[in-house]
Structure formats: C-alpha cells, structure tokens
Amino acid sequence: NITPVLALEVLDNILYAGGRDNVIGNVARWDGTTWQPMDQGFPSDVNDLCVFNGQLIAGGDDDVVCAWNGTAWDTLGARFDERIEVLEVFNGQLYAGGRFTADVNGTPLAGLARWNGSAWEQAGPGLDSGVRGMCVAPPGLVVCGTFDSTATGSPLPQRWAIFDGTDFSVPQLSPMPEYIYDPFVSNTTSFPDGSYTMGNYLIHGTTVTDLGYVVRSSAEFQGTWFAAGLPTAYTSLTLDHAPVNGL
C-alpha cells in the first residue's frame, strides 16, 4: 500500500499511484493483482503525476521533476529550490507548479515553470507565491495557490488566475470565486463540457454555481464524470467528513 495516495494516473492502460510510502518507493504500478515498485523508487514523496510525450512524469518534495523511461527515473532539468506541488500539460507543454522561486542555479521560476525540452523556464511574469492546483479549461491554464499577485506586482487578490501562455488574468464573474480558507487554493479540476472548478464553485463560461463542497479531483467512469472533495463545513477527519484526494 501507498499511504497516503496523493496522485493517480493511467498510461497505456496501466494504473499508477503516487504518494508517501518509503517501502514501495512512493510510486507504484498496478499489475491487476498487486502494487509493484518501480526501479529503486522515486527519490521523495510524490505530490503529483501526469503523462507527457508518452511518459509518466512525477514531481514531489525532493524539488525535482522526473520522467519514467520504462526502467528508471530520469531527472528533467535542474533541481528547484523548493518542492513541486502539481504538474499539468497545456498547449503541448509540461508545466510544474509549486513553492519554488528559482532553480538551484538561480534561474527565476517564480511559482510556475514551463519545460522547453531542455530546461525549465519561468511561465510569463511568474507569481509572488506558490501554485498548488492546476487544470486545463477553455480559457487557458487555470492555476490557484497562495499568490495574490504576479511576480511583477499585478494584483490577483482572488488567489487564482488563468494563464494564456504569456500572462495571467482573472475573468469577470459574478459571484467571483474568492479565497476563503486553505482548501480553496489547493485544487482545481475541469470537465469535458468546458466547465472547471475553483474551490467550491463550478464555472461554465460566465455562469458560476456554488456546489457546497470543495472539489479536489474528477474522473470519468463508464461515460460518467465524477467529482470528489470535501464539504465547505469540513473541520476534521471524521468518517462522514473525510476528504477524497484523488479520482
């Protein structure tokens, strides 16, 4: 078992799980019967997984992003100065979000970094604090976190924004989803109809609906999409209010 599981991904019809388990190596592959370790394991706790260019990508607390080459983990670029929280693919490019401000060589990366094929580069003007959630929706790359402005000072007081590949902006919505408490800035997810979530709100075009719970993940099963998370009244890990981290 991996306890807790923080990320799930499917590649070539194989299910992978990532999380915090030093025994199995923080990332494991399901063979239909049991969870199998992968080489010597990922070098740290895994916070997120994604698929990019046909490879499984992992990022975590060891301040690196790695690609699984089929037999071992290959590190992508230089080490970051802080941990990786989330990974996403947008417009054919791999993005990493986290608490970092630069790589270990001093290259500015300010919360959101883009892989250019050989190195990590800062995405647009960067952000003044960390990114904790990302998803892709029709407006662009949706990001949320602890930031309240770009790294150059443009205000983003709601602690979420849309990145179009060049800059960050927030659409004009009513009601405007705004930061209330910590789970709000941790997750965002999208659906095939073009809608996406921010905290406890579902956004479809300019229509905003309060769902009554903070959505942390979504997945499709037999043609139906499901969302999971935790109630907005969540205060402790009780059996009837335990959060779901991933689908």
Side-chain angles (χ1 to χ4, degrees):
N1 296 327
I2 296 179
T3 306
V5 173
L6 299 178
L8 296 169
E9 190 57 83
V10 175
L11 173 62
D12 296 332
N13 294 318
I14 297 174
L15 176 64
Y16 296 87
R20 298 170 183 166
D21 191 310
N22 292 328
V23 175
I24 205 167
N26 300 310
V27 183
R29 177 180 61 243
W30 181 248
D31 67 4
T33 304
T34 59
W35 290 102
Q36 298 292 333
M38 299 168 65
D39 190 37
Q40 300 301 309
F42 192 77
S44 72
D45 293 346
V46 170
N47 294 323
D48 204 12
L49 300 169
C50 77
V51 173
F52 176 66
N53 285 347
Q55 288 185 297
L56 183 70
I57 310 295
D61 290 355
D62 201 39
D63 312 336
V64 295
V65 177
C66 295
W68 178 249
N69 65 20
T71 57
W73 292 102
D74 294 329
T75 300
L76 298 182
R79 185 180 297 273
F80 293 71
D81 66 354
E82 254 286 6
R83 74 185 191 187
I84 314 301
E85 297 274 11
V86 61
L87 301 167
E88 188 58 87
V89 177
F90 171 59
N91 282 348
Q93 293 182 295
L94 175 64
Y95 286 79
R99 300 184 181 187
F100 49 82
T101 60
D103 67 18
V104 293
N105 299 317
T107 302
L109 296 175
L112 185 63
R114 176 171 51 208
W115 179 247
N116 66 16
S118 58
W120 293 99
E121 59 186 22
Q122 183 169 287
L127 297 162
D128 73 337
S129 190
V131 170
R132 298 176 64 180
M134 288 194 287
C135 76
V136 177
L141 181 65
V142 185
V143 298
C144 60
T146 53
F147 57 85
D148 57 18
S149 74
T150 66
T152 54
S154 298
L156 298 168
Q158 296 82 11
R159 300 195 183 184
W160 70 279
I162 307 293
F163 182 67
D164 62 6
T166 303
D167 206 352
F168 299 90
S169 64
V170 177
Q172 296 301 307
L173 302 171
S174 182
M176 173 61 76
E178 297 186 59
Y179 171 79
I180 302 173
Y181 57 110
D182 188 65
F184 181 92
V185 299
S186 297
N187 300 89
T188 179
T189 190
S190 58
F191 298 93
D193 65 356
S195 61
Y196 59 99
T197 61
M198 182 52 56
N200 49 293
Y201 293 94
L202 178 69
I203 304 167
H204 194 177
T206 58
T207 301
V208 181
T209 304
D210 189 343
L211 298 173
Y213 64 97
V214 175
V215 177
R216 303 191 77 166
S217 62
S218 65
E220 182 267 341
F221 177 68
Q222 295 183 351
T224 300
W225 278 79
F226 295 85
L230 68 161
T232 53
Y234 165 78
T235 56
S236 63
L237 285 174
T238 60
L239 288 177
D240 58 340
H241 289 93
V244 175
N245 290 324
L247 291 174

